[in-house]
Amino acid sequence: MSKIPPQLQYTKTHEWIKKENEMLTIGITDHAQTMLGDLVYVELPELESNFEMGQECAVVESVKAAADIYCPVPGEIIEINDAVIENPQLINEDPYGKGWLVRVRPFDRQKPELLNADEYTKVVASEAH
């Protein structure tokens, strides 16, 4: 069973979100990195670029497949994790820590539909069947 920390929020497309003051840290879940396998490439957006909720903002690529990462909230990219560009395996090794992808300053225009840990656990379980 994948790790699903209870203090984070999630999307149905397997991004996790951690709220820190006015900023959101975003990454892919343990389940997502496990399904992708060994990551070999990460493409992150430019700083200060703006995204709408659900818009593709990054790409992760493994030896098996590539996956688009969707911005779970409308907002501006205020920080990217250069370490995962240089070493994509950080996402495999520590998806909720050193493997984070971007930090976003959300716009207040639209409330995102985020899942809590219990709701995300049900999403993961439904995909197993």
Side-chain angles (χ1 to χ4, degrees), residues 57-129:
C57 65
V59 175
V60 293
E61 195 172 311
S62 72
V63 293
K64 292 196 257 180
D68 294 323
I69 308 303
Y70 302 99
C71 198
V73 298
E76 176 185 11
I77 304 297
I78 58 172
E79 189 174 349
I80 61 171
N81 187 357
D82 289 323
V84 297
I85 294 172
E86 294 177 24
N87 182 9
Q89 286 286 306
L90 287 175
I91 298 169
N92 294 117
E93 295 165 5
D94 189 12
Y96 300 113
K98 293 177 183 174
W100 64 274
L101 298 176
V102 296
R103 292 198 166 111
V104 174
R105 179 180 301 119
F107 302 138
D108 290 333
R109 295 188 301 227
Q110 201 172 3
K111 290 289 180 193
E113 294 178 25
L114 301 177
L115 307 173
N116 64 33
D118 290 339
E119 293 166 331
Y120 182 68
T121 299
K122 291 176 185 172
V123 170
V124 171
S126 71
E127 290 182 356
H129 300 290

